[in-house]
């Protein structure tokens, strides 16, 4: 029996051997067993979903909206998404440009697996939320990593164009994620315009993950879809903006003829997203314009607190610009790599951070702190990190 199972595993698709389960989730699970640990590991808002959104879901159940929705999402939600993106970021989408997905994660899966053939290349600026890497590999494509750590984690147009020229026609897509997980940096209008000017010259898809667009601390978010509406596959959702990670609603937007193609992978993967959750998300997009900005005020205070404490202790970091992460560099003089530091901090001082090397080239030597945690927990965590730091040269 066991032998047959092993033989069957050996016959599973080759690409599976290219990927391993998520580093972040396995570390999170491992350290969850440590009593009293403070985890600043997951990108999960600590706020609850706003009341008006929860009430919309309750109403939806009472009205027996318990059946399949249309595959691309309910017309009401798709219109609400288009309207929200237009009002907030001046994007000229209509319902026909929108697919409602199972979280932003399914939008990523649908986007990548709809565009790559075996052997194609996907340009991925790093450090980046790691999910992009296995999704690219499991689809038989190859990531081309561009380390952005030498330019405050913003991809330069020169580096991008050089990679496109070096890899030629095999480049199918470039991934852009800003505000960024894990770096907490974002792209200003001039950065977006400069990157767009390069990409406009090529028939390359731009997979733009703007899930943190409502959480910018300086200028308003600028979407690359404003500059490149024809080639952008825009990913957004309610997980971060409306504290709705558990509802699993994301969106994928593109020109309508491209939506018709993306809809095939979406339909054959999930049929449709959960109907009740779609009604809740519609309420969030229609009447929750201020939900994100309200939470942002809190995040910004925490960002400043964590930034000040960490830099006082000797870490170097950029002022946080968005999302809810601080990416802090461990001083070289401590002579410790990021994984060992995080391991020691978790087991000795009971604080869990994610090692920067989990986020691809350029992340080595950093730690990521998710400050989507209560101020009490952040204060205690900073105290404990200080105790660890006191033992180092
Ligand atoms: C950059 C980025 N994209 C996508 C996601 C996934 O979002 P969702 O929970 O809606 O699938 C995350 C979650 O951490 C993220 O950080």
């Amino acid at each position: 029996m066991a032998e047959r199972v092993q033989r069957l595993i050996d016959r599973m698709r080759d690409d599976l051997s290219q990927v391993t389960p998520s580093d972040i989730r396995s570390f999170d699970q491992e350290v969850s067993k440590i009593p009293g640990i403070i985890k600043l590991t997951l990108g999960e808002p600590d706020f609850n979903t706003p009341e008006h959104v929860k009430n919309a879901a309750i109403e939806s159940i009472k009205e027996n909206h318990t059946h399949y929705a249309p595959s691309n999402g309910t017309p009401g939600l798709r219109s609400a998404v288009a309207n929200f993106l237009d009002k907030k970021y001046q994007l000229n989408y209509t319902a026909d440009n929108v697919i409602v997905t199972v979280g932003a994660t399914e939008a990523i899966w649908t986007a990548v697996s709809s565009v790559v053939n075996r052997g194609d290349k996907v340009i991925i600026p790093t450090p980046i939320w790691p999910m992009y890497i296995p999704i690219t590999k499991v689809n038989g494509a190859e990531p081309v990593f561009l380390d952005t750590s030498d330019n405050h984690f913003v991809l330069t147009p020169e580096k991008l164009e050089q990679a496109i020229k070096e890899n030629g026609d095999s480049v199918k897509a470039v991934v852009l994620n800003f505000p960024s997980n894990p770096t907490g940096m974002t792209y200003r209008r001039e950065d977006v315009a400069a990157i767009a000017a390069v990409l406009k010259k090529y028939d390359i898809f731009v997979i733009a993950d703007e899930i943190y667009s409502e959480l910018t601390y300086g200028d308003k978010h600028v979407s690359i879809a404003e500059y490149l509406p024809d080639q952008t596959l825009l990913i957004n959702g309610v997980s971060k903006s409306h504290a709705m990670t558990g509802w699993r609603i994301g969106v994928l937007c593109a020109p309508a003829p491209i939506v018709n193609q993306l809809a095939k992978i979406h339909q054959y993967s999930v049929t449709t997203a959960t109907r009740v959750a779609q009604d809740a998300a519609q309420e969030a997009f229609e009447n929750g314009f201020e939900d994100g900005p309200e939470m942002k005020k809190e995040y910004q205070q925490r960002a400043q607190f964590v930034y000040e404490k960490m830099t006082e202790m000797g870490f170097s970091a950029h002022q946080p610009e968005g999302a809810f992460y601080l990416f802090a560099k461990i001083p070289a003089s401590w002579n410790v790599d990021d994984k060992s530091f995080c391991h020691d901090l978790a087991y000795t001082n009971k604080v869990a951070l994610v090692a920067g090397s989990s986020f691809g080239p350029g992340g080595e030597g950093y730690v990521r702190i998710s400050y989507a945690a209560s101020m009490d927990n952040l204060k205690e965590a900073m105290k404990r990190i200080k105790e660890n730091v006191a033992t180092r040269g």
Side-chain angles (χ1 to χ4, degrees):
M1 177 68 174
E3 281 167 22
R4 181 188 293 275
V5 169
Q6 189 52 54
R7 283 200 306 275
L8 288 169
I9 289 174
D10 293 343
R11 299 197 68 199
M12 290 174 87
R13 56 184 291 187
D14 295 342
D15 300 317
L16 274 187
S17 64
Q18 299 290 312
V19 301
T20 48
S22 151
D23 248 17
I24 305 181
R25 285 206 171 256
S26 2
F27 182 66
D28 181 76
Q29 266 173 17
E30 181 196 324
V31 297
S32 295
K33 296 183 198 123
I34 302 174
I37 190 136
I38 299 178
K39 293 193 299 173
L40 306 178
T41 38
L42 294 185
E44 164 96 272
D46 61 314
F47 295 103
N48 290 322
T49 300
E51 286 302 314
H52 70 107
V53 174
K54 291 195 280 193
N55 288 336
I58 292 166
E59 277 313 304
S60 170
I61 295 173
K62 284 188 183 155
E63 286 167 25
N64 290 312
H65 290 177
T66 51
H67 303 273
Y68 290 123
S71 180
N72 284 359
T74 63
L77 172 54
R78 294 169 77 201
S79 297
V81 170
N83 186 48
F84 184 90
L85 295 175
D86 183 30
K87 292 258 161 50
K88 293 267 186 180
Y89 315 120
Q90 295 74 53
L91 303 179
N92 295 318
Y93 289 134
T94 68
D96 291 343
N97 300 110
V98 180
I99 300 178
V100 177
T101 55
V102 180
T105 306
E106 192 246 316
I108 298 169
W109 173 261
T110 293
V112 174
S113 51
S114 298
V115 304
V116 299
N117 283 316
R118 181 161 296 280
D120 279 344
K121 293 186 176 155
V122 177
I123 293 180
I124 304 184
T126 58
I128 194 158
W129 188 53
M131 187 81 88
Y132 280 96
I133 303 164
I135 290 183
T136 298
K137 288 185 178 169
V138 95
N139 278 293
E142 194 189 317
V144 175
F145 296 122
L146 301 183
D147 179 352
T148 61
S149 57
D150 57 354
N151 187 51
H152 55 93
F153 304 113
V154 169
L155 178 63
T156 61
E158 295 78 22
K159 201 174 263 189
L160 172 63
E161 184 136 41
Q162 192 189 341
I164 295 173
K165 285 190 172 145
E166 272 172 19
N167 291 283
D169 223 25
S170 62
V171 177
K172 236 350 147 34
V174 55
V175 172
L176 292 173
N177 163 232
F178 59 84
S180 155
N181 175 7
T183 70
M185 296 289 101
T186 196
Y187 287 40
R188 292 177 179 71
R189 180 168 287 284
E190 58 268 28
D191 302 318
V192 178
I195 292 287
V198 172
L199 289 168
K200 215 178 189 110
K201 295 191 253 171
Y202 303 93
D203 288 340
I204 290 177
F205 290 95
V206 181
I207 300 178
D209 181 344
E210 300 184 8
I211 186 88
Y212 294 99
S213 61
E214 283 292 276
L215 302 175
T216 55
Y217 303 138
D219 295 340
K220 228 174 112 248
H221 175 75
V222 178
S223 175
I224 191 122
E226 182 190 325
Y227 288 83
L228 301 173
D230 291 346
Q231 62 198 105
T232 300
L233 310 181
L234 179 70
I235 294 164
N236 212 313
V238 285
S239 296
K240 316 291 174 168
S241 57
H242 293 79
M244 292 178 67
T245 46
W247 299 77
R248 310 308 302 130
I249 296 290
V251 301
L252 177 59
C253 305
I258 294 181
V259 160
N260 294 340
Q261 300 301 317
L262 298 168
K264 297 178 195 168
I265 297 282
H266 165 72
Q267 178 168 43
Y268 295 134
S269 308
V270 300
T271 304
T272 179
T274 305
R275 174 63 210 266
V276 171
Q278 292 196 42
D279 288 347
Q282 182 175 335
E283 170 65 22
F285 281 118
E286 274 175 359
N287 298 314
F289 271 57
E290 290 309 313
D291 293 344
E294 275 300 314
M295 296 178 213
K296 183 167 84 170
K297 286 187 210 149
E298 279 277 331
Y299 289 135
Q300 194 161 8
Q301 280 177 12
R302 299 174 192 179
Q304 199 52 33
F305 171 75
V306 169
Y307 169 76
E308 280 168 15
K309 290 290 171 201
M310 290 294 283
T311 47
E312 268 168 34
M313 286 183 234
F315 294 88
S316 43
H318 297 285
Q319 273 279 357
E321 296 177 347
F324 36 60
Y325 307 100
L326 183 82
F327 208 52
K329 189 165 193 173
I330 303 167
S333 59
W334 296 355
N335 225 349
V336 59
D337 68 74
D338 51 299
K339 286 217 158 109
S340 313
F341 179 81
C342 289
H343 190 270
D344 180 50
L345 187 66
Y347 284 92
T348 313
N349 307 88
K350 302 188 180 200
V351 178
L353 308 180
V354 182
S357 51
S358 315
F359 303 99
E364 309 83 2
Y366 287 80
V367 290
R368 186 193 75 174
I369 299 182
S370 166
Y371 52 81
S374 72
M375 202 59 182
D376 284 350
N377 270 354
L378 291 175
K379 281 185 182 155
E380 180 59 25
M382 292 301 123
K383 211 173 101 214
R384 294 184 191 181
I385 296 173
K386 200 168 174 182
E387 284 161 12
N388 184 292
V389 166
T391 66
R392 299 183 183 274

